[in-house]
Structures are given as C-alpha cells and as structure tokens.
Amino acid sequence: MKTRKEKIFIAGHNGMIGSAILKKLKKKKNLKILYENRNKLDLTDQKKVFKYLKSNKPNGVIIAAAKVGGIVANNTDRASFIYDNLAIQANLIHGSYLAGVKNLIFLGSSCIYPKLSKQPIKERYLLSNYLEKTNEPYSIAKLAGLKLCENYSSQYNLNYKTLMPCNSYGENDNYDSKNSHFIPALIKKIIEAISKNKDHIVLWGNGKSLREVIFSEDVASACIFFLKKKTKHKMFNIGTGSDISIEKYARLIMKHMNVNLKIVFDKKKPNGTFKKLLDSSLAKSYGWKHKTKFEKGISIAINDYLKNHLKKK
Ligand SMILES: NC(=O)c1ccc[n+]([C@@H]2O[C@H](COP(=O)([O-])OP(=O)(O)OC[C@H]3O[C@@H](n4cnc5c(N)ncnc54)[C@H](OP(=O)(O)O)[C@@H]3O)[C@@H](O)[C@H]2O)c1
C-alpha cells in the first residue's frame, strides 16, 4: 500500500534561516516540501494565504518569514516592522488552524526579551520589564505571534510552538549596509578593507558588548527537531550557551582570513545592550543541542559572501 507523503510548508524559504531549513528537509525521505516565492504568495495577503493553506493542507508549517533588519532599519521603518510582521504571522497561524495544521513552529528572537533582563535569559523573563525602544515595533509583533501560538495551542489543542534563537549567521545572510546584523556587517567591513588596502576597520561603540551567536543550520535543526515533538512547554530559547565580545568576533573573523587589521572604535556610536545570553537548558532537556563551532560556521558564511554576495553590492 502506498503511504501518503508528509507535507511541510516553509514560509520564507529564500531567507537565511528558511533556506537552511529547506536544505536540511531536502535530505529527508518521504516528505513533500512546500514553498512559494513572494511574487506568487505575498504572506501579508490574508485571502491568498488562507487559500494556499486550505488547498495544500500541510501537516506542518514552519514560519521563517518575517520583516527582519538591523538597528537602523528597525528604528526607521517602525510602521512596516509592526504591520508586516503582525500580518504575516496572523495570516499563517490562523490560516494553519483553519486548514487543520496540527504542528507549527514560529520564530521569535532573543531581542524581544526585556532590555534589562537578568542573565542568562530564561524563558520566564519574557514580558517582565520594558523592551528595547529601537526595535519595540518588531518585538511587539513577535510577542503577539508567540501569544497566538500559545493560545491557539491551548484553546484548539494544537502543537504550535515558538523558538527564540539568539543572533544567527550563515549562508544567505543579509549584507545590506543599512539592514544587516553585526556578523555579516563585520564580514563585509573586513573584506572591503582588505580589497581597498586599508589598514583598519571601524567598529561602533567600544566593542566590549557581549553577544551569543548561532549558525543558521543549527536554528534549522531546532525547527525540525521541535516541529512534531509534543512538549509541555510552548516556547524554547535556542542558543549555544556562550558569548564573546564584538571585538573578539572581529579578531576571530580576521584570523580566519589571515589578516590583522587595526580596530578603530567609534565611541560616539551606541554599544547596545552589554550582554544578551540565552539560557537554552529547556531546549537541551528535550534533547536538542547546537552542533556547529563558530570557526566552522563563519568559514561557511564567509565563503557564501565571497561567492554569492560580493559581486552584487
Ligand atoms: N537573523 C537572525 O539573527 C535571527 C535571530 C533570531 C530570530 N530570527 C527570526 O528568524 C526568522 C527568519 O530570519 P532570517 O534572518 O532568516 O530573515 P531573512 O533572511 O530576512 O528572511 C526572511 C524571509 O521572509 C520572507 N518574507 C518577508 N516578507 C514576506 C512577505 N510579505 N511575503 C512573503 N515572504 C516574505 C523573505 O522573502 P524575500 O526573500 O522575498 O525577501 C525572506 O525569504 C525571522 O522570524 C526572524 O525574526 C532571526
């Protein structure tokens, strides 16, 4: 007898984390992977999203689609950060419920915890204090997505969960100068300095702020690991458990490229929160753990930048 293939829909399959999920799912047998480009399925379009989910009836949905950006974009396009993210996630979560989808993963982020959280940050610190002002619209939208998952799970007996990754980096990252996170920004600055024969790079602030980063494929593995898992908890921190300073990241990336540029600190620019370290022991207690060391992940990210992004900019 022929068994019906399981169907998983990835929203945001062209993005950094979505493409890592797609890459991993392609290695699995007996699985039909569903995805659509934005020009065919704009996820802010409620009618289209509901129709797509109802006619395709996936068994699982992973939401890796969102309007994502660095500090400048988050603080400037404040209206579209809140509107687009609310629309994308409400359409996908409610649409999944209407289409009978039992398992769903939504991606939150470590940056939606209160600005001055105790460290390391536990899941229960959520909503315990004020948010960071610069990304408040994005955070409010993400918090609403997380609450949609939590309440749809309890009211309708569904398995809709939120994963909260720390800062992520990897293939298909965003290298737009106004819109990128700090790891892609460092890669780009260092490679540009080398190509222009400069002897230094400039970093914002004093470089002492501590950051935890995770390779995109480890976030992807967490999404796949937790999608069908039945868990009492509905939200999990996804991190590596260690952090180092932004200056140290710059030095590690330079070491990887065999260069030793001077670092000039632009102390007029903000440092950001001093420390943002997740306590990921809850996810670990269910059996998930990150695998990729920074040295390996960064080498993949740098090669991807050199091969696929350098010419475009
Ligand atoms: N990157 C991080 O460090 C990080 C850390 C923690 C959590 N997260 C979360 O992880 C998720 C994925 O992040 P990412 O870094 O992979 O983002 P990304 O690279 O910017 O990818 C986002 C994806 O969403 C798609 N998208 C956005 N608006 C859409 C729309 N209206 N219709 C259809 N598709 C749309 C984009 O499509 P196009 O390709 O057409 O633009 C893109 O494929 C987000 O929820 C983010 O908040 C990210």
Side-chain angles (χ1 to χ4, degrees), residues 7-106:
K7 285 191 272 185
I8 295 182
F9 172 55
I10 312 172
H13 68 287
N14 287 318
M16 180 177 69
I17 293 174
S19 61
I21 297 168
L22 182 61
K23 188 172 162 185
K24 283 200 178 286
L25 285 182
K26 277 186 173 166
K27 292 183 186 147
K28 291 200 181 285
K29 288 194 182 123
N30 235 12
L31 179 70
K32 183 167 182 196
I33 313 167
L34 305 171
Y35 49 86
E36 286 299 339
N37 284 336
R38 190 199 291 241
N39 54 6
K40 277 231 178 119
L41 183 65
D42 181 341
L43 297 168
T44 59
D45 186 328
Q46 190 189 62
K47 263 194 194 156
K48 280 192 182 163
V49 174
F50 285 8
K51 192 171 162 209
Y52 180 85
L53 290 168
K54 272 195 173 164
S55 54
N56 286 288
K57 295 211 173 314
N59 308 89
V61 167
I62 303 179
I63 308 178
K67 185 171 170 66
V68 180
I71 184 170
V72 179
N74 263 286
N75 203 16
T76 325
D77 303 343
R78 294 176 73 89
S80 38
F81 268 89
I82 193 164
Y83 177 77
D84 284 20
N85 286 316
L86 282 173
I88 291 170
Q89 66 205 31
N91 293 343
L92 286 167
I93 295 169
H94 191 65
S96 294
Y97 155 67
L98 294 176
V101 176
K102 294 272 180 270
N103 301 303
L104 178 146
I105 292 287
F106 171 66

Side-chain angles (χ1 to χ4, degrees), residues 66 89 106-109 112 138-147:
Q89 66 205 31
F106 171 66
L107 286 169
S109 168
I112 71 171
Y138 168 85
S139 301
I140 294 281
K142 287 277 176 192
L143 288 165
L146 184 149
K147 289 292 168 191

Side-chain angles (χ1 to χ4, degrees), residues 25-281:
L25 285 182
K26 277 186 173 166
K27 292 183 186 147
K28 291 200 181 285
K29 288 194 182 123
N30 235 12
L31 179 70
K32 183 167 182 196
I33 313 167
L34 305 171
Y35 49 86
E36 286 299 339
N37 284 336
R38 190 199 291 241
N39 54 6
K40 277 231 178 119
L41 183 65
D42 181 341
L43 297 168
T44 59
D45 186 328
Q46 190 189 62
K47 263 194 194 156
K48 280 192 182 163
V49 174
F50 285 8
K51 192 171 162 209
Y52 180 85
L53 290 168
K54 272 195 173 164
S55 54
N56 286 288
K57 295 211 173 314
N59 308 89
V61 167
I62 303 179
I63 308 178
K67 185 171 170 66
V68 180
I71 184 170
V72 179
N74 263 286
N75 203 16
T76 325
D77 303 343
R78 294 176 73 89
S80 38
F81 268 89
I82 193 164
Y83 177 77
D84 284 20
N85 286 316
L86 282 173
I88 291 170
Q89 66 205 31
N91 293 343
L92 286 167
I93 295 169
H94 191 65
S96 294
Y97 155 67
L98 294 176
V101 176
K102 294 272 180 270
N103 301 303
L104 178 146
I105 292 287
F106 171 66
L107 286 169
S109 168
S110 60
C111 63
I112 71 171
Y113 279 107
K115 183 180 162 75
L116 300 171
S117 274
K118 263 200 309 189
Q119 305 285 326
I121 307 170
K122 293 182 190 297
E123 286 84 352
R124 64 182 154 84
Y125 300 165
L126 198 81
L127 290 169
S128 61
N129 209 330
Y130 294 106
L131 298 166
E132 161 63 44
K133 275 279 168 225
T134 52
N135 64 10
E136 194 187 69
Y138 168 85
S139 301
I140 294 281
K142 287 277 176 192
L143 288 165
L146 184 149
K147 289 292 168 191
L148 279 170
C149 289
E150 191 183 296
N151 291 294
Y152 273 57
S153 289
S154 59
Q155 187 174 340
Y156 304 124
N157 194 24
L158 296 167
N159 187 26
Y160 290 9
K161 298 190 234 51
T162 302
L163 300 187
M164 304 278 273
C166 61
N167 219 308
S168 182
Y169 68 95
E171 288 176 306
N172 297 319
D173 209 338
N174 182 347
Y175 289 93
D176 183 302
S177 307
K178 285 195 209 121
N179 220 354
S180 64
H181 289 118
F182 84 93
I183 292 282
L186 283 177
I187 295 176
K188 190 175 173 183
K189 270 184 192 176
I190 295 168
I191 291 177
E192 276 184 1
I194 299 170
S195 69
K196 290 178 184 162
N197 282 324
K198 287 192 177 162
D199 66 348
H200 70 280
I201 57 163
V202 180
L203 290 192
W204 274 29
N206 61 15
K208 292 195 191 325
S209 296
L210 299 169
R211 292 291 177 268
E212 177 186 20
V213 301
I214 187 166
F215 187 48
S216 57
E217 291 186 26
D218 286 331
V219 179
S221 81
C223 293
I224 297 165
F225 179 88
F226 279 106
L227 179 63
K228 285 196 286 178
K229 204 168 237 342
K230 297 278 183 291
T231 54
K232 182 176 146 225
H233 302 89
K234 290 289 170 240
M235 168 190 157
F236 300 91
N237 286 342
I238 299 295
T240 63
S242 54
D243 55 0
I244 59 172
S245 73
I246 291 179
E247 176 181 354
K248 184 87 192 284
Y249 281 114
R251 299 214 183 274
L252 284 174
I253 296 172
M254 286 196 254
K255 190 173 163 205
H256 185 83
M257 294 186 203
N258 267 328
V259 286
N260 191 11
L261 306 170
K262 251 189 293 175
I263 301 180
V264 176
F265 296 101
D266 182 354
K267 292 188 179 158
K268 284 191 193 122
K269 293 280 189 337
N271 289 315
T273 312
F274 176 63
K275 190 173 168 82
K276 271 205 270 185
L277 179 63
L278 292 176
D279 178 340
S280 302
S281 53

